[in-house]
Amino acid sequence: MKNKKPNWTKTELQIYIMLLCANADKTETEEELDMIQSKTSKKTFLKMHKKFHSHSKKKRLDKIEKVINNHDYSQMELAAFRREMYKIFFSDCSFSMMEERLDMTLDKTLY
């Protein structure tokens, strides 16, 4: 079985990570999905949504780790991206323990 490195664009990677954030508490709300979809085309959103739901929890994090190194993010890009992640985390006006754990994991992965 080949374990090929995904060749995703920055936008595709960001959509995938935002889907992970939305799914951190095991519930993707309509508001979260609308927020994510507003960041890209419907085609890209549907492509990444399909990929996201076809992967296991472990595989999702593995994919992110493999793809993140394909791109050189500036500190400004990462800061803007973190703000978008927090909008998704706090869209339900709470920050659950599962979301907090994911935030710490992504912090280590992105930086």
Side-chain angles (χ1 to χ4, degrees):
M1 180 176 177
K2 272 189 173 177
N3 193 7
K4 80 175 198 177
K5 196 175 197 177
N7 190 23
W8 299 342
T9 65
K10 281 185 175 183
T11 300
E12 289 170 334
L13 176 60
Q14 289 173 342
I15 297 304
Y16 193 87
I17 292 173
M18 286 194 277
L19 286 166
L20 185 65
C21 293
N23 193 267
D25 56 4
K26 307 288 187 242
T27 305
E28 296 171 4
T29 67
E30 196 66 36
E31 181 183 2
E32 290 169 330
L33 294 175
D34 288 345
M35 287 171 63
I36 297 166
Q37 193 168 350
S38 73
K39 305 293 177 196
T40 190
S41 69
K42 185 169 185 134
K43 181 180 177 183
T44 301
F45 173 80
L46 292 174
K47 172 185 171 183
M48 298 316 292
H49 192 264
K50 182 178 178 181
K51 285 183 184 292
F52 178 81
H53 284 288
S54 71
H55 298 151
S56 68
K57 186 177 179 180
K58 181 181 178 349
K59 190 171 184 178
R60 291 171 183 165
L61 293 172
D62 289 343
K63 293 278 186 186
I64 291 168
E65 280 189 44
K66 289 176 182 174
V67 176
I68 196 75
N69 295 320
N70 290 350
H71 303 289
D72 292 322
Y73 285 96
S74 70
Q75 289 300 318
M76 295 291 282
E77 285 177 306
L78 288 173
F81 185 45
R82 296 288 291 180
R83 283 191 299 276
E84 295 300 321
M85 289 168 49
Y86 281 109
K87 285 180 187 175
I88 293 169
F89 283 142
F90 289 105
S91 66
D92 59 0
C93 299
S94 71
F95 192 52
S96 72
M97 188 184 315
M98 291 184 290
E99 290 169 326
E100 189 175 349
R101 285 185 187 152
L102 177 60
D103 180 50
M104 289 187 293
T105 301
L106 289 174
D107 188 52
K108 291 175 186 172
T109 303
L110 294 173
Y111 295 97

